[in-house]
Amino acid sequence: MDLAALLVTPFARLTELGGLLLVIPLMLPVVGLLLAPLLRGRWLGGGLLGRFTLLLLLLGLVAALAVATAVLTGDEALKYYLGGWLPPLGVALKADGLSAIMLLLSAVVILAVGVYAQREFQVPPDASETRASLVFWMLLMGVWAGLNAAFLGQDLFTLFVALELLTFSAVPLVALDGRAETLAAALRYLLFALLGSVLYLLGAVLFYGTYATLDITLLAERISGEPALPPAVIAAAALMTVGLLAKTALFPLHLWLPPAHAGAPPPASAILSALVVKASFFLILRLWFDVMPGALTPMTAQILGGLGAGAILFGNLVALRQARLKLLIAYSTVAQIGYLFLIFPLAARAESAALTGGMLQVVAHALAKAAMFMAAGLIAKALGHDRVRDLGGCVRVLPLTLLAFGLAGLSLIGLQPSGGYLTKTLLTAAADGTGQGWLGLVIQVGGLLTAAYLFWVFGHVLFGVPSTPAMPIKPPGRAQELVVLALALGALLLGLVPPALFDLVEVGRAGLEASAAVATAMAGAFGWSKLWGDVWPLLVVGLLVLGMLPWPDRPAGGSPRPATTSLSVTGHWAADLGTLLEPADRGLRQWPVAGLSLLILLLALAAAISTGA
Amino acid sequence: MTNALIVDAALALLVLGLALWVIATRAAYRAVVGFVAYGLLMAIIWVRLAAVDVAMTEAALGTGLTGLLLLGAAARLAPYETAEFDRRPGRGLRVLIGLLCAAVTLGLAAVVLLLPAPAPSLASLVADNLPPTGVGNPVTGVLLAHRAIDTLLESVVLLPALIGVWSVAANPAWGGRPGSLPRPPASSALTLLAQVLPPFGILVGIHLVWNGADDPGGKFQGATVLAAMWILVLIAGLREAPALRERRLRVLLVVGALVFIGIGASGIWLAGAFLAYPEGYAKPLILAIEAVLTLSIAATLGLLLAGPPAGDRPIGTTS
Amino acid sequence: MASSKAAAMPLIRAALARGVGFLGFWLLLAGPSLGQSTATGVTTDLAAGLAVGLLAAVVATWVSLRLLPPAPGRLRLTALARLARHFLWQSIVAGFDVARRAFDPRLPLKPGDLAFPTRFPPGTGRAAFGAITSLMPGTLPVGTDDHDRLVFHCLDLDQPITAGLARDEALVMGVRRNGSDRDA
Amino acid sequence: MNDPTLFGLCGAALVGLGLYGLLCQPGALRKILAFNLIGSGVFLLFGVIALRGGGVLAAAGRGIDGDPVPQALIITGLVVAFAATSIAVALLLRLAETSGRTTLENEAPPAPSLPGERASRPDGES
Amino acid sequence: MRLALDILTIVAVSLGAIFFLAGTVGLLRFPDTLTRLHALTKADNLGLGLVVLGLLPQVSGPLSALALLAVWLLALLSGSTVGQLLAGKAAVPDPDRAPTLTPGAGASHD
Amino acid sequence: MPEFLLGAAAFVLGTVALGLMRLLRGPGHADRMLSAQLLGTGGVGALLLLGVATGVGAIAEVALLLALLAAFASVAFVSGIQRSDGRGPPSATAPAAADSPGEHRRETA
């Protein structure tokens, strides 16, 4: 019924539905998921299921746009009480600005992935259904359903079910190719994510035990009325935060992310890196900015920000050492997650800039990372491998793909006018403004390190000796290349979006001035001095990296290990650092060590939260 | 009251002892056997906590299906499981983690002791809002009316889980019969059990669903019992598991949640809200939803146990 | 299985008998709540409950007939009652027997295996015999040997076990008149 | 000490024990068991909260033994935990069959999946 | 009458509890798996039966009483099946079972 | 009377708990399984006692469920063992070897 209505009703009428509108993005993927097992066979030359999913994704995009329009024009959060039952008894749906942005973002990214994957997961002519096609398309809708439920849910337990829906859908995607390594990666991901879920649930239980409600709005009212946080609430906040951090894979809890994101099929990697880890981050935002606003003690904020800074430095450095393109991108995700957590130490005195910057980072990274993973998939498919050292010459066969990869990279580095630039400018300004200049420094260094590994990749691409046949084994589909390019361009041109649209961030929360912050950040972005000031460090880094490249005397055959011999001084320095970093990363990703980090973090957070209570 | 306290203390100690055994024993098989016993005790504890609905779920799920799943897994893993116990982290790390876990426990214990004294509760609110739902069992009211979305999402969650289980199949086996169910040697005792028990299980399952509207019970409990009976028949070899490509089976898997959504959506017009029930028709609609959901959940739970498709022969047999 | 009219009669009879039995079991389960609804005078609930019970009994009967087709031959209720009495008494004896041995400080056991050439062909009858003997004093069926004899593990080989087993066997066989040899 | 508190402390201990097992036991099956222990500890705490919330009403003669909301949520949680266990078991069994591994220790980061390799994945049973 | 029924309850339930104890003692004291299995199936089922018998006078109405009996019958069916299944399994050659495989050669005490 | 029934339930639980010693001592997998099975029967008894003692009729249904599914663990156990036997001689001895008396002594010492 929703479907039919969507097809015939003009777009504008949708926004008149009010809160009921929220049911559409919640239920659309669920209905798709339920119908999927019945849709067998080929259709229009591909899989019926793939085409059906695409149609559903288009409808989902319309619905997300409608929600965003309604939220922005109405300038207040949409709310809906399911079954007409008011909380605390019933469950509410709510779309504030943040939800609307996330809904829209996931609709766009999943639609792009859906277009990309039409070719990868079509049904061969001699079959009506294959394992990979059914599993991929169903779980894609499962992920979508979990994401939308996580963005709209206003009840801590509903959110728990949404997280589980997300996890159960995401994990099998990792192991879709069925090799032992990816099975191990999926199992590791599942078990760590389950640990995160159960800690989250424990926190929700303690909230219920204290206030007999799980509704976010009601909890916020009751907690803000407390003279001091009760012990159960302190414990609950610590448990939920740590549980969600484990699912977000914030350093040092990133043990599962690199193998899982690198081992999944490229479209799945794109979804996992761009969206799935963001859902748990989004719930951390909900927890600290909606459930317990004002309870964020400086100590807590410093811990989260410190971990974020650690993630930026560590993730980028380890990424620099990766020999495989997909692993490099996965470690880049570890680093980029770090930026999200810088907003906590900034939020206390610069909430507008921090939240706007955080949301921009979510969007920009999602677009850029999805583009990069899918570009890497096209490269790997065309060349039959994704060893960075053997990428030489592939620019001739995949010019469009590499262009997209590069443009997405520019957003990660943070060049104007990309979303990355906006994020970094907003966060750096906020850091300087709040007297935490070291955070600004971390951001700058992070950008340079990002530039370094991108130069490293492109150095090999442009100047490396072609080791593989010039002709691709399987040329990428035009639609695939275009969709990757579109995502990359989206990330790059985010800064040119009219600032008024960023007011979406502030809908539903008082005292924010998102569009003003964005306008300030973009002011003067294209002045010559500013441009030069941003570009020359990159040039230096580029020269240093190119100096490290062993391409003139590259050994034949191309070993899969990274170059540790080099003529330049920077090469030796990087090699020394690498010998320190890689064992450190291996150690941190040992299960017991990661567990130890998690426990320490849990106790430290509990202590930190109680310092201000 | 003292005898009750003795019962409770005995249960608590036993459960802790078994948990310790599950964690600390050397071989996985022993741990699993301990866990089965643990599940039994948990069912009794739920009774002591006045949560009979939960006790039924735990009895059916915890002791029946989970035991089957884990024991089967432990047996199939036994050949591969060489000295994994010895690859524990070093003593120092273990002690450190142990201390931190103890700290977590102590912190939680303190939190439990410091929970607000007149415990906040939704019990009276549920009681006040139960009449419009027409059901007499407050747990069913909460699951199917007040928090229907959780139940809906939760029955949907089972589907990706099942797809996840299927997804580890080998490509050529796709769409075939599931192959993870244990196949014991022909035993007349098992055959007799599988011939005699299922009708009674079906009666109990239907009873739990029907009666769950007003008394403890409900679709999860009923569906678990039905799934268990189905599995028993399959294990005994009286029937073959269906091929997973069969359309009837696929329909069975999704019909429950689809009907739920359909009735929920009709509530938009008939009762003013998604997942609301028209006045006076709440109970029949709830029972209808429960009936179809029971079938879907039972099929899904059974197939979760039956494992990924294995072509025409079960995984692990030598042909 | 019931292709001819002659074969259809026992099927219908078995279906009716089992159906009534299952309906009775349903009444056991639903008894308390049905009692409630009669007490409050809500007859629609009572009717609905009975209807669901009838439906459940039909489903159970159908499943039961599919899984365990009725054996030819008629059930002899007097023999069944005799078997039940014997079974009840012997299981009490079995419990006392085991308890006595368990509590005895000397642990008087003489365990061992014993092969019993049963007259039951493999099938439901033999399975039922095994199930019953597993609750009789001192015997526990462990399987079949190469000569198609049932192997029993016994607690005390000095006791007259074979005689007891033969008596059990006769009692179980008597329950169904001229039927057991065609069980499958 | 009253009964709910007793089981509440029991739940706290189960969470700690399960955490230790999940982090220190190398075998994946043991980790799955430990996860279930943590889960049941959490459910137990929730059950205690439910019982505490019902005491008031029982005293007032309203005839409800515990707060039904947590009880309903526990039932949902138990089913979700079962689903999680079954996925984990399926992955683990397949992992053991393809590689002989039953632990998650000492893993090397996997090479990304490639089209050529996908075509040659072990499709039958060895 | 009430008193007589209560006495019946107390006697039967106590007796049942003692049989549960007997099952446990047998499980712990008996020398091998199969003999332990005897203790389990026979003593425990009698114990449960006596407990049910003892509870019969305490429940309201004949239907509830019959329901209790049904629980016992189901337990009997399960118990006997489990007994046979585990017995068949224990009879598979196993180091600590070997001495009792041949008739009469058993009687191995701890 | 409820007090007595509760006491009886505690006693039954206590005795089956004692039976869990078999879980600790083994020595075979089947022996450990026996103790879980004992717990099942004892649990049914204890639940019936608790149900009548507290007057909550639905508790009997929990006992009914336990009785209905009591055989499941053993069925899985039996077939599980068979499956690893079916893998051939080396693996068939693996579970038994893991439970050899020598190793058992090491653990309880």
Side-chain angles (χ1 to χ4, degrees), chain A residues 38-118:
Chain A
L38 311 177
L39 301 174
R40 265 207 305 260
R42 286 169 57 80
W43 197 50
L44 296 178
L48 173 58
L49 183 52
R51 302 293 198 258
F52 169 75
T53 311
L54 207 55
L55 177 70
L56 221 56
L57 283 166
L58 281 168
L59 293 176
L61 184 60
V62 172
L65 276 170
V67 170
T69 316
V71 168
L72 191 60
T73 53
D75 202 23
E76 65 173 357
L78 289 179
K79 223 165 177 191
Y80 191 70
Y81 300 110
L82 288 161
W85 300 104
L86 293 182
L89 193 57
V91 174
L93 300 178
K94 186 174 119 182
D96 56 3
L98 300 188
S99 316
I101 293 174
M102 296 307 289
L103 281 180
L104 200 53
L105 176 71
S106 34
V108 167
V109 173
I110 297 181
L111 178 61
V113 167
V115 172
Y116 178 99
Q118 288 295 319

Side-chain angles (χ1 to χ4, degrees), chain A residues 177 179 181 188 208 386 591, chain D residues 22 67 104 111-113 121:
Chain A
D177 74 353
R179 289 176 306 136
E181 306 95 281
R188 179 176 268 257
Y208 189 92
D386 73 339
W591 187 278
Chain D
L22 187 62
D67 186 348
L104 295 175
S113 70
R121 68 188 285 267

